[in-house]
PDB file of all heavy atoms in Angstrom:
ATOM      1  N   GLN A 158     -25.174  56.674  49.138  1.00 86.00           N
ATOM      2  CA  GLN A 158     -25.869  57.354  50.222  1.00 86.00           C
ATOM      3  C   GLN A 158     -25.789  58.859  50.006  1.00 86.00           C
ATOM      4  O   GLN A 158     -24.677  59.427  49.998  1.00 86.00           O
ATOM      5  CB  GLN A 158     -25.277  56.977  51.572  1.00 86.00           C
ATOM      6  CG  GLN A 158     -26.004  57.562  52.764  1.00 86.00           C
ATOM      7  CD  GLN A 158     -27.428  57.042  52.887  1.00 86.00           C
ATOM      8  OE1 GLN A 158     -27.663  55.850  52.707  1.00 86.00           O
ATOM      9  NE2 GLN A 158     -28.369  57.923  53.181  1.00 86.00           N
ATOM     10  N   PRO A 159     -26.910  59.534  49.797  1.00 83.00           N
ATOM     11  CA  PRO A 159     -26.838  60.972  49.503  1.00 83.00           C
ATOM     12  C   PRO A 159     -26.408  61.761  50.739  1.00 83.00           C
ATOM     13  O   PRO A 159     -26.681  61.355  51.885  1.00 83.00           O
ATOM     14  CB  PRO A 159     -28.268  61.311  49.101  1.00 83.00           C
ATOM     15  CG  PRO A 159     -29.129  60.270  49.728  1.00 83.00           C
ATOM     16  CD  PRO A 159     -28.292  59.020  49.767  1.00 83.00           C
ATOM     17  N   PRO A 160     -25.737  62.884  50.542  1.00 81.00           N
ATOM     18  CA  PRO A 160     -25.360  63.715  51.686  1.00 81.00           C
ATOM     19  C   PRO A 160     -26.599  64.299  52.365  1.00 81.00           C
ATOM     20  O   PRO A 160     -27.684  64.346  51.768  1.00 81.00           O
ATOM     21  CB  PRO A 160     -24.501  64.808  51.056  1.00 81.00           C
ATOM     22  CG  PRO A 160     -24.958  64.871  49.628  1.00 81.00           C
ATOM     23  CD  PRO A 160     -25.330  63.460  49.251  1.00 81.00           C
ATOM     24  N   GLY A 161     -26.421  64.751  53.585  1.00 77.00           N
ATOM     25  CA  GLY A 161     -27.541  65.276  54.339  1.00 77.00           C
ATOM     26  C   GLY A 161     -28.179  66.497  53.730  1.00 77.00           C
ATOM     27  O   GLY A 161     -29.310  66.835  54.052  1.00 77.00           O
ATOM     28  N   THR A 162     -27.447  67.166  52.838  1.00 76.00           N
ATOM     29  CA  THR A 162     -27.965  68.386  52.219  1.00 76.00           C
ATOM     30  C   THR A 162     -28.782  68.097  50.962  1.00 76.00           C
ATOM     31  O   THR A 162     -29.322  69.026  50.366  1.00 76.00           O
ATOM     32  CB  THR A 162     -26.813  69.317  51.842  1.00 76.00           C
ATOM     33  OG1 THR A 162     -25.862  68.589  51.047  1.00 76.00           O
ATOM     34  CG2 THR A 162     -26.127  69.853  53.085  1.00 76.00           C
ATOM     35  N   ALA A 163     -28.876  66.833  50.550  1.00 85.00           N
ATOM     36  CA  ALA A 163     -29.540  66.497  49.295  1.00 85.00           C
ATOM     37  C   ALA A 163     -30.864  65.780  49.563  1.00 85.00           C
ATOM     38  O   ALA A 163     -30.934  64.838  50.350  1.00 85.00           O
ATOM     39  CB  ALA A 163     -28.658  65.606  48.427  1.00 85.00           C
ATOM     40  N   ALA A 164     -31.922  66.246  48.884  1.00 92.00           N
ATOM     41  CA  ALA A 164     -33.212  65.547  48.918  1.00 92.00           C
ATOM     42  C   ALA A 164     -33.160  64.370  47.950  1.00 92.00           C
ATOM     43  O   ALA A 164     -32.460  64.433  46.937  1.00 92.00           O
ATOM     44  CB  ALA A 164     -34.325  66.513  48.555  1.00 92.00           C
ATOM     45  N   GLN A 323     -30.226  74.752  55.248  1.00 47.00           N
ATOM     46  CA  GLN A 323     -29.367  73.619  55.511  1.00 47.00           C
ATOM     47  C   GLN A 323     -30.010  72.383  54.905  1.00 47.00           C
ATOM     48  O   GLN A 323     -30.707  72.453  53.909  1.00 47.00           O
ATOM     49  CB  GLN A 323     -29.155  73.469  57.041  1.00 47.00           C
ATOM     50  CG  GLN A 323     -28.453  74.655  57.683  1.00 47.00           C
ATOM     51  CD  GLN A 323     -27.054  74.884  57.157  1.00 47.00           C
ATOM     52  OE1 GLN A 323     -26.368  73.942  56.779  1.00 47.00           O
ATOM     53  NE2 GLN A 323     -26.621  76.149  57.128  1.00 47.00           N
ATOM     54  N   ALA A 324     -29.797  71.236  55.539  1.00 42.00           N
ATOM     55  CA  ALA A 324     -30.336  69.988  55.006  1.00 42.00           C
ATOM     56  C   ALA A 324     -31.849  69.986  55.051  1.00 42.00           C
ATOM     57  O   ALA A 324     -32.453  70.530  55.963  1.00 42.00           O
ATOM     58  CB  ALA A 324     -29.808  68.799  55.825  1.00 42.00           C
ATOM     59  N   PRO A 325     -32.514  69.383  54.047  1.00 45.00           N
ATOM     60  CA  PRO A 325     -33.956  69.253  54.086  1.00 45.00           C
ATOM     61  C   PRO A 325     -34.362  68.480  55.345  1.00 45.00           C
ATOM     62  O   PRO A 325     -33.711  67.506  55.717  1.00 45.00           O
ATOM     63  CB  PRO A 325     -34.292  68.452  52.815  1.00 45.00           C
ATOM     64  CG  PRO A 325     -33.097  68.627  51.927  1.00 45.00           C
ATOM     65  CD  PRO A 325     -31.932  68.791  52.836  1.00 45.00           C
ATOM     66  N   SER A 326     -35.446  68.918  55.988  1.00 37.00           N
ATOM     67  CA  SER A 326     -35.853  68.277  57.234  1.00 37.00           C
ATOM     68  C   SER A 326     -36.514  66.940  56.975  1.00 37.00           C
ATOM     69  O   SER A 326     -36.507  66.077  57.832  1.00 37.00           O
ATOM     70  CB  SER A 326     -36.821  69.189  57.974  1.00 37.00           C
ATOM     71  OG  SER A 326     -37.978  69.467  57.194  1.00 37.00           O
ATOM     72  N   GLN A 327     -37.098  66.722  55.764  1.00 39.00           N
ATOM     73  CA  GLN A 327     -37.779  65.489  55.521  1.00 39.00           C
ATOM     74  C   GLN A 327     -36.783  64.379  55.258  1.00 39.00           C
ATOM     75  O   GLN A 327     -35.695  64.602  54.769  1.00 39.00           O
ATOM     76  CB  GLN A 327     -38.723  65.604  54.303  1.00 39.00           C
ATOM     77  CG  GLN A 327     -38.005  65.699  52.947  1.00 39.00           C
ATOM     78  CD  GLN A 327     -37.758  67.135  52.561  1.00 39.00           C
ATOM     79  OE1 GLN A 327     -37.641  67.994  53.413  1.00 39.00           O
ATOM     80  NE2 GLN A 327     -37.665  67.366  51.268  1.00 39.00           N
TER      81      GLN A 327
END
Side-chain angles (χ1 to χ4, degrees):
Q158 184 64 42
T162 53
Q323 298 297 330
S326 59
Q327 70 269 27

